[in-house]
């Protein structure tokens, strides 16, 4: 089932997203959250922090697995996704950091790190609620357009357009890593529920992903086959 929620703007999109995520934590206090980075979920994370500060949420038993990490960036690099998660969410709530997981961007053996990450997700029993943003080219996590869908966590070469899009967060485009470690389609598709957030600039790619052909050239199109997908779109 695909449920599309059209919201007026970014603030309402974030509020609806935060409400769904909060409901998941209340329903199953020891749930496994699949988390995403990027500018899209920032507003949702700050609303979750507010809910926590008001005493409405308890994250003490929650585990999290993030979708991806830049290859070559350490966790204390302010452009790493581990840093992003700490900064926007984990440092402000009572989640046990030992239960928060982000692929290690400095792993000497990246393939072994990917295999270990999949084993970890299995050990946790899979993801209860997977949060996703979407790239302009239809990527989810860092699953870039390709000839095939890749099931397992893997090392990916970032597309020029992705490097370009993400360079806005870096001082200089030359500093944007060219590779990343990303959860594959299996973890995403096996999540019990998926929540895709999309701002107004993503309307066309979301339309293509949800209504166009299912193709690895638009990785998010595979979500059409997910049994429990909620898409929250900001119209403006
Ligand atoms: C990044 C991340 C994705 C994110 C996407 C969109 O490359 N790997 O997880 O969804 O790009 O980012 P934004 O929300 O900033 O547009």
């Amino acid at each position: 089932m695909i449920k599309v929620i059209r919201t007026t703007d970014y603030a309402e999109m974030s509020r609806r997203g935060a409400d769904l995520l909060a409901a998941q934590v209340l329903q199953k206090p020891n749930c496994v959250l699949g988390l995403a980075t990027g500018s899209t979920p920032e507003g949702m994370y700050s609303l979750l922090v507010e809910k926590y500060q008001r005493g409405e949420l308890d994250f003490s038993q929650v585990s999290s697995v993030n979708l991806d990490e830049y290859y070559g960036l350490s966790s204390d690099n302010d452009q790493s996704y581990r840093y992003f998660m700490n900064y926007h969410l984990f440092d402000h709530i009572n989640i046990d950091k030992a239960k928060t997981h982000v692929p290690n961007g400095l792993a000497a053996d990246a393939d072994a790190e990917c295999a270990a990450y999949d084993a970890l997700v299995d050990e946790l029993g899979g993801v209860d609620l997977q949060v996703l943003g979407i790239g302009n080219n239809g990527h989810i996590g860092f699953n870039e357009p390709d000839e095939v869908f890749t099931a397992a966590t893997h090392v990916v070469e970032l597309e020029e357009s992705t490097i370009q899009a993400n360079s806005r967060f870096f001082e200089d485009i030359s500093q944007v890593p060219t590779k990343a470690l990303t959860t594959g389609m299996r973890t995403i598709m096996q999540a019990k529920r998926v929540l895709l957030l999309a701002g107004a600039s993503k309307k066309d790619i979301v339309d293509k992903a949800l209504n166009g052909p299912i193709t690895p050239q638009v990785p998010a199109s595979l979500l059409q086959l997910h049994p429990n997908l909620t898409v929250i779109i900001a119209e403006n």
Side-chain angles (χ1 to χ4, degrees):
M1 191 200 61
I2 304 182
K3 184 173 180 191
V4 179
I5 301 174
R6 295 185 187 280
T7 60
T8 49
D9 54 17
Y10 181 81
E12 197 195 343
M13 178 200 78
S14 304
R15 187 176 58 73
R16 297 293 292 267
D19 287 347
L20 277 177
L21 218 134
Q24 172 67 71
V25 173
L26 289 170
Q27 222 169 56
K28 187 177 176 189
N30 63 346
C31 63
V32 178
L33 298 176
L35 298 177
T37 53
S39 53
T40 309
E42 276 180 28
M44 179 180 74
Y45 292 148
S46 90
L47 291 172
L48 286 171
V49 170
E50 286 177 23
K51 284 177 188 292
Y52 167 72
Q53 285 168 345
R54 287 198 299 268
E56 295 168 14
L57 284 177
D58 174 15
F59 290 89
S60 61
Q61 297 177 63
V62 170
S63 300
S64 71
V65 282
N66 259 78
L67 283 168
D68 47 11
E69 180 60 284
Y70 285 116
Y71 190 52
L73 296 193
S74 69
S75 56
D76 54 7
N77 183 308
D78 63 5
Q79 291 308 326
S80 74
Y81 286 168
R82 161 54 78 180
Y83 188 97
F84 175 104
M85 290 311 303
N86 289 347
Y87 183 82
H88 289 284
L89 187 64
F90 301 152
D91 283 347
H92 314 289
I93 59 176
N94 68 335
I95 199 164
D96 175 358
K97 283 256 182 81
K99 291 192 186 135
T100 68
H101 308 281
V102 181
N104 176 7
L106 288 187
D109 184 341
D111 291 333
E113 169 68 13
C114 290
Y117 206 70
D118 280 338
L120 167 83
V121 173
D122 286 347
E123 235 170 79
L124 291 170
V127 171
D128 289 299
L129 174 62
Q130 176 67 60
V131 176
L132 295 175
I134 185 168
N136 295 315
N137 60 4
H139 74 226
I140 46 179
F142 267 134
N143 289 276
E144 294 280 40
D146 201 349
E147 297 303 310
V148 290
F149 290 111
T150 304
T153 296
H154 58 286
V155 180
V156 66
E157 294 275 350
L158 300 180
E159 280 209 342
E160 200 44 52
S161 66
T162 298
I163 293 174
Q164 192 74 45
N166 289 359
S167 67
R168 69 190 196 278
F169 300 112
F170 292 77
E171 270 172 31
D172 188 285
I173 192 163
S174 66
Q175 292 172 2
V176 186
T178 56
K179 289 184 187 180
L181 273 55
T182 185
T183 301
M185 291 307 210
R186 186 172 57 224
T187 299
I188 296 170
M189 291 302 287
Q190 288 183 350
K192 294 188 186 73
R193 184 171 193 185
V194 174
L195 171 61
L196 172 65
L197 299 178
S201 68
K202 304 285 174 54
K203 266 194 274 187
D204 290 349
I205 187 63
V206 169
D207 181 50
K208 207 170 159 186
L210 297 184
N211 302 309
I214 297 173
T215 163
Q217 297 297 342
V218 182
S221 64
L222 193 59
L223 295 172
Q224 290 179 36
L225 301 179
H226 195 279
N228 193 349
L229 168 66
T230 302
V231 184
I232 309 183
I233 302 177
E235 293 288 351
N236 300 287

